[in-house]
Amino acid sequence: MELNICHLYPDILNLYGDRGNIITMKRRLEARGIGVHIDECSIGQPLDIDKYDIFFIGGGQDFEQEVLLRDLAAGKARDIRTAVEENKVFLAICGGYQMLGQYYKTWDGNQLDFIGAINIHTIGAKERMIGNYMYRLTPESSGSIVVGFENHSGKTYLGADVAPLGMVLKGYGNNGEDQTEGARYKNVFATYSHGSLLPKNPVLADFILQTALRYKYGSAEPLSPLDDEIENRAHDYMEERLRKG
Ligand code: GLN
């Protein structure tokens, strides 16, 4: 077995160690003897969606998001919409999450029309939502608790056909208003969590890998357990801190 991962815009969208998500997926696959191949695809490079099982998009500020609009419009937006509808697995963080949606109206009134692969939109607020936070994933995404770090001005609102990835226990999440955090649509996992997300949330990491293996190979054996003592300690330390604070 092997999985092919495409890291989209690694040179432009990469905040607060988002790349750590790629490293975690690679390590957790290799530890089980599953092959993994990672390609990077950035501005001006064609995207062959058929080659990949998982697509990763990191976060970026409003400026970086605007820089990518031309490249998306030249073909990648259409390719990404197709890959999402074909049930490919996506993990998208913060700015990358916003970009999968319909549009982002920045706090100073600039409207960025995005990919439209998932039915969400984002409205910028003057006050940023910043801090360590945590949420419980919905049962459809494992039900476990995720700890992370958020820093965004955009408030994201989910359309009727898009489920939240989880419900906020501490912090802001999608918009600081409706307790939702992130989005789950088909095999898209989208979230505001930097930090990075997967190293200290191993249950979610395996859930995403398992989803990709099931997609590719029909049914897949459950992943063999790994020694996650250090990962769980990092997770539990932050969970405890947030519960107390
Ligand atoms: N530009 C977006 C916002 O501020 C995303 C920022 C990020 O990826 N951290 O809402």
Side-chain angles (χ1 to χ4, degrees):
M1 288 197 292
E2 73 164 11
L3 288 179
N4 295 308
I5 301 175
C6 180
H7 190 171
L8 281 160
Y9 303 119
D11 48 343
I12 297 166
L13 299 177
N14 179 36
L15 286 175
Y16 310 113
D18 285 337
R19 188 183 292 274
N21 294 305
I22 293 275
I23 297 169
T24 296
M25 289 193 279
K26 180 174 187 292
R27 293 235 171 113
R28 297 187 76 82
L29 287 167
E30 284 174 348
R32 274 98 172 204
I34 299 170
V36 51
H37 183 82
I38 298 158
D39 284 337
E40 301 190 336
C41 183
S42 194
I43 291 180
Q45 297 173 320
L47 174 62
D48 180 358
I49 57 167
D50 296 335
K51 272 175 70 177
Y52 302 105
D53 311 299
I54 300 178
F55 296 82
F56 175 74
I57 319 177
Q61 299 301 340
D62 301 2
F63 173 75
E64 281 95 33
Q65 291 175 303
E66 199 169 350
V67 162
L68 294 176
L69 290 178
R70 256 225 322 238
D71 191 62
L72 288 169
K76 283 198 187 73
R78 184 199 55 226
D79 297 335
I80 290 169
R81 282 194 297 271
T82 305
V84 167
E85 285 307 308
E86 284 179 0
N87 292 317
K88 300 267 189 189
V89 172
F90 277 75
L91 174 60
I93 311 293
C94 198
Y97 164 28
Q98 296 171 346
M99 285 178 56
L100 286 179
Q102 311 286 2
Y103 63 87
Y104 174 29
K105 201 166 189 178
T106 62
W107 68 272
D108 52 355
N110 190 14
Q111 177 152 333
L112 311 179
D113 289 318
F114 282 155
I115 297 168
I118 58 176
N119 184 17
I120 59 142
H121 66 275
T122 303
I123 311 282
K126 232 177 172 168
E127 228 163 275
R128 298 188 71 82
M129 288 156 272
I130 307 176
N132 295 312
Y133 77 131
M134 68 175 169
Y135 50 98
R136 184 178 290 284
L137 296 166
T138 62
E140 294 73 29
S141 297
S142 85
S144 64
I145 289 178
V146 167
V147 293
F149 171 75
E150 60 181 329
N151 181 359
H152 51 111
S153 126
K155 293 184 167 194
T156 295
Y157 299 93
L158 308 178
D161 56 337
V162 178
L165 183 66
M167 297 305 286
V168 172
L169 297 169
K170 274 278 159 68
Y172 299 96
N174 278 336
N175 48 52
E177 296 160 13
D178 61 14
Q179 263 80 58
T180 63
E181 157 57 23
R184 180 77 206 270
Y185 172 72
K186 291 179 176 273
N187 287 332
V188 174
F189 298 80
T191 173
Y192 272 108
S193 298
H194 296 287
S196 38
L197 169 68
L198 297 184
K200 58 184 180 294
N201 293 290
V203 177
L204 179 60
D206 280 357
F207 190 86
I208 291 171
L209 295 174
Q210 186 82 61
T211 303
L213 289 165
R214 206 173 300 121
Y215 165 82
K216 185 166 190 180
Y217 295 104
S219 74
E221 296 281 300
L223 289 166
S224 52
L226 300 179
D227 176 5
D228 284 330
E229 205 214 314
I230 292 173
E231 289 82 351
N232 287 331
R233 263 177 31 204
H235 177 282
D236 295 351
Y237 174 81
M238 186 50 79
E239 182 179 333
E240 180 87 4
R241 223 173 91 175
L242 284 163
R243 282 196 193 282
K244 281 190 189 140

